[in-house]
Amino acid sequence: QVQLVESGGGLVQAGGSLRLSCAASGSIFSTMGWYRQAPGKQRELVADITRGGSTNYADSVKGRFTISRDNAKNMVYLQMNSLKPEDTAVYYCNAARAVADVRSSYWGQGTQVTVSS
């Protein structure tokens, strides 16, 4: 059974840093990433990464956030630096795989990130 568990969220002041972790189990995933959702807003992609290490970032976080993964441990991380109040959201880990031509996507429970002015 697939499980994704996030950790590392919290309350920080603007300009501070947090490191989010996502522990995956139950499968090997082609792409893993981080999404975020603020109240009243659509869930949006923050960053994702393939097994080969190819990355993609939202324009709003380029230069500040870094995504990485450890395939041996089946974990993905998000290092967040120079945090801004507009980064406040629930951050969700996402993982995708394809089996028998069926693509499946899985979500963690989310972890709250709050950035104060």
Side-chain angles (χ1 to χ4, degrees):
Q1 187 172 8
V2 171
Q3 289 189 1
L4 303 174
V5 181
E6 303 99 329
S7 62
L11 174 64
V12 298
Q13 292 186 327
S17 297
L18 285 173
R19 182 176 174 85
L20 305 183
S21 299
C22 174
S25 62
S27 186
I28 298 175
F29 302 98
S30 58
T31 303
M32 302 182 72
W34 292 92
Y35 291 70
R36 66 187 182 188
Q37 187 168 27
K41 299 184 67 176
Q42 298 283 348
R43 187 172 298 185
E44 64 177 353
L45 173 70
V46 178
D48 60 23
I49 184 169
T50 68
R51 285 188 59 82
S54 182
T55 59
N56 181 53
Y57 295 92
D59 288 341
S60 60
V61 307
K62 287 180 179 177
R64 299 189 297 122
F65 292 8
T66 302
I67 189 170
S68 61
R69 66 188 287 175
D70 186 331
N71 292 331
K73 296 180 179 179
N74 212 10
M75 296 190 69
V76 63
Y77 308 92
L78 186 69
Q79 178 67 45
M80 305 186 294
N81 298 326
S82 301
L83 283 161
K84 304 174 180 179
E86 49 263 47
D87 295 318
T88 295
V90 177
Y91 284 69
Y92 297 91
C93 182
N94 174 265
R97 66 175 182 178
V99 179
D101 295 328
V102 177
R103 184 171 179 83
S104 299
S105 183
Y106 303 90
W107 297 94
Q109 83 286 356
T111 185
Q112 177 71 47
V113 172
T114 302
V115 184
S116 62
S117 300

